[in-house]
Amino acid sequence: MKPTVVCLLCFALCSSTTFSAETGTLRGFSTESSRTQRDWESKFRAIPEPANMRNYMERLAARPHHVGSPYDKDNAEWLLSKFKEFGLDAQIETFEVLFPTPKERLLELVEPTKFTAKIAEPTVATDPTSSQRQEQLPTYNAYSTDGDVTAPLVYVNYGIPDDYDMLDRMGISVKGAIVIARYGGSWRGIKPKVAAEHGAIGCLIYSDPRDDGYFQGDVFPDGAYRNKDGVQRGSVMDMPVYPGDPLTPGVGATRDAKRLDRKDVTTLTKIPVMPISYGDAQPMLAALKGPVAPGNWRGALPITYHLGPGPAKVHLKLAFNWDLKPIYDVIARIQGGTYPDEWIIRGNHHDGWVNGAEDPVSGLGPLLEEARGFGMLMKQGWKPKRTIILCAWDGEEPGLLGSTEWAEAHADDLQRHAAVYINTDGNGRGYLEVEGSHTLEKFINGMQKDIDDPESKLSVWKRLQFQRIANPPPTNPQDRLEARNRPDLRIGALGSGSDYTAFLDHLGIASINMGFGGEDGGGIYHSIYDDFYWYTHFADTDFTYGRALAQAVGTSVMRLADAELLPFDFNNLTDTVRRYVDDVKKLANDKRDQIIERNRQIEEGMFAAVMDPKHKLAIPPKEPVPPFLNFAPLDNGLAALQRTAQLYDEALAHANENGGSALARAALREANAKLISVERALTLNEGLPNRPWFKHQIYAPGFYTGYGVKTLPAVRESIEQKQWKLAEDEIVKVGKVLENAGEVIQGATTELGRSIK
Ligand SMILES: [Zn+2]
């Protein structure tokens, strides 16, 4: 139904109370069961305690707890005991994964002067855990290959493909060189991958103070931001190919699993790579000569940024222990009463790079309070209809190891039973940002209206709406209008970067990631300073946002577990996919127009004419004009999706008549099973081109962006990479996927109609 002017006014003026009063009945519940549900949810939301989350953090972040460390195992056992203390069935599942740790690290400038990099983060007197030198993992990038290289240095900005195009035009090659890239612009693992593709033999990644340091704010311990010796550790595994244990792609890394030989693994880097601080980077960058870096390549160090190559020459030597290490997933289970074979899964990792207070414990504390809350409600007589599984994952930091191995080990069961996966990974202050499957967008909006923001006392939904009205993206100013008028706030799409990846991208399980953020700047990510001291001085210091996160996730889990009919919605999905289809059409057109225009500029002699003869740039070669692509299969698939989504809504409206009494009576097992399989229908077993592990056809992490999402990835990336024939083929495949999903929705409609007769 089109909203009338009166409705729009109402939306603008009356806020959430009017909206929820109008639709007091929860989606997928009868009026009666909705009332009972809201009672249980209110009881639940009164339970989470900030003081408990503070205590959990003090305990879990007390010592370094990376994969393979004594305290990682100790934490897993403690988590197990907490789940049991709360009255839940719980156990630890163990896998054995390849996890390299440094044996030797050396970085020195050998020409024109000598300088040996510190590659260490010093103890800060006021920060007690920063002195735990014995147990701290050194600064390094996990899954870098071993290497001993000496070569001239080249500065490559963020080290993404566009940067190398620019270097090409400036006549600078990185062949045989060691590149130095700054963090940002892409996920870190992309930098050594692209550097190696261009012939570099080593890669340094540093945190520039413009992006991560004093340019952003006062540095630790005076402020929250990265100090000159702070280093961002992190994985450089080629996760856009497949995440998880590099030796066991597609299967669980159990003790007797069949393992690849390390030399056959495709997800390790081709060249040695190491992260460094801006304290260590500055002398090396200052020793570069050659052209001055383009304006937008310059950071905030007090030097003139040059590109090289040389005369700075560096020596990088890295050797790792390539050991198998145990990881400990802690899994708690609450058996469902009515639909025990339908699972709602909720997870957050427990391993950190060092003490890991913000990442991950600030999201794990809320999970524990949810578990405690569910345990208390069960003692009062609450029994979820569906089975709830709570997971504290190990090994997220090196490569989503714990969640991926668990998902691969239980793939068959998960594909049969898993309805939804909800993830968090750390928490801060600000707005409740949610990303995930658009089949759940409407559901998430409903939940957000029932959670209070700790600072403003508005609902987190209302506060997020105001934020979007206040700050629409500069590229899309019309989003302000949409934030005001669209009944649901949009949720973002998921790329990668946390434990939802295997569930969504590999198994096709509708997934959600959420957390508060936007008011919690800082610069301790993956350093020894991400600890209890930092978090309780600079982040959600009173843990009230921790409580709000527990309330938001707990309410979501309960509502999904208790709904008579799973609250998926397909109109928002269709609306979102339509935007993605428009996007890829525009991308193809823009690409074509750009190539035509540039070819013309080359013919006209524009490049030669505007060039500063003292700073020569190569004239780019002319390119063949791309063909027009036929997008009709995508349009047809979309039309099928749209039709079936509307029919499903009509059937649901019918089921909701008379207070949903039909819903309350019906056996909905078949309808729910069909609803669960809609997200599966958005996958293809053959996966994406060149990366079969990634099966979802609507969302994927970008091959050259890492964490950043690519929607309609097969189509979008083949256009971006100018593979026009592949693009045509993928359009046909994805169109068919949309049609198939439409058929599954139609099946759900039929089952719903049958069961409420
Ligand atoms: Zn994390």
Side-chain angles (χ1 to χ4, degrees), residues 47-60 361-370 427 532 535 540 542-551:
I47 295 172
E49 283 292 343
N52 289 344
M53 288 183 252
R54 185 185 166 93
N55 292 340
Y56 301 150
M57 182 177 285
E58 198 163 16
R59 142 81 221 191
L60 289 161
V361 174
S362 62
L364 189 58
L367 186 150
L368 281 172
E369 283 298 89
E370 292 154 37
N427 193 47
F532 184 71
Y535 197 85
D540 177 25
D542 59 5
F543 293 85
T544 49
Y545 275 101
R547 172 166 58 195
L549 186 65
Q551 291 169 333

Side-chain angles (χ1 to χ4, degrees), residues 93 95 343 405-415 507:
E93 278 191 59
F95 298 97
W343 301 350
E405 296 316 314
W406 191 81
E408 289 175 344
H410 301 287
D412 290 346
D413 278 344
L414 286 166
Q415 275 177 327
L507 298 176

Side-chain angles (χ1 to χ4, degrees), residues 39-97:
D39 281 348
W40 282 119
E41 289 179 5
S42 302
K43 285 198 180 94
F44 168 78
R45 288 196 290 272
I47 295 172
E49 283 292 343
N52 289 344
M53 288 183 252
R54 185 185 166 93
N55 292 340
Y56 301 150
M57 182 177 285
E58 198 163 16
R59 142 81 221 191
L60 289 161
R63 287 167 52 192
H65 53 100
H66 52 270
V67 168
S69 67
Y71 208 60
D72 175 73
K73 181 165 190 234
D74 201 84
N75 272 347
E77 283 161 359
W78 183 83
L79 288 163
L80 179 69
S81 74
K82 290 312 270 188
F83 282 138
K84 288 184 173 165
E85 181 192 316
F86 300 149
L88 311 187
D89 259 344
Q91 50 163 332
I92 290 181
E93 278 191 59
T94 306
F95 298 97
E96 287 184 20
V97 296

Side-chain angles (χ1 to χ4, degrees), residues 349 359-360 396-397 425 498:
H349 68 100
D359 181 8
E396 189 271 352
E397 294 295 1
D425 185 346
S498 194

Side-chain angles (χ1 to χ4, degrees), residues 348-349 351 358-360 396-397 424-426 497-499 525-526:
N348 191 103
H349 68 100
D351 67 302
E358 190 275 332
D359 181 8
E396 189 271 352
E397 294 295 1
T424 60
D425 185 346
S498 194
D499 291 308
Y525 178 60
H526 292 182

Side-chain angles (χ1 to χ4, degrees), residues 483-521:
R484 242 194 209 120
N485 299 332
R486 189 174 186 258
D488 296 317
L489 296 173
R490 291 189 185 277
I491 63 172
L494 280 173
S496 184
S498 194
D499 291 308
Y500 48 79
T501 307
F503 296 94
L504 179 66
D505 295 333
H506 188 58
L507 298 176
I509 296 162
S511 298
I512 285 294
N513 187 61
M514 62 175 112
F516 285 92
E519 296 177 339
D520 53 350

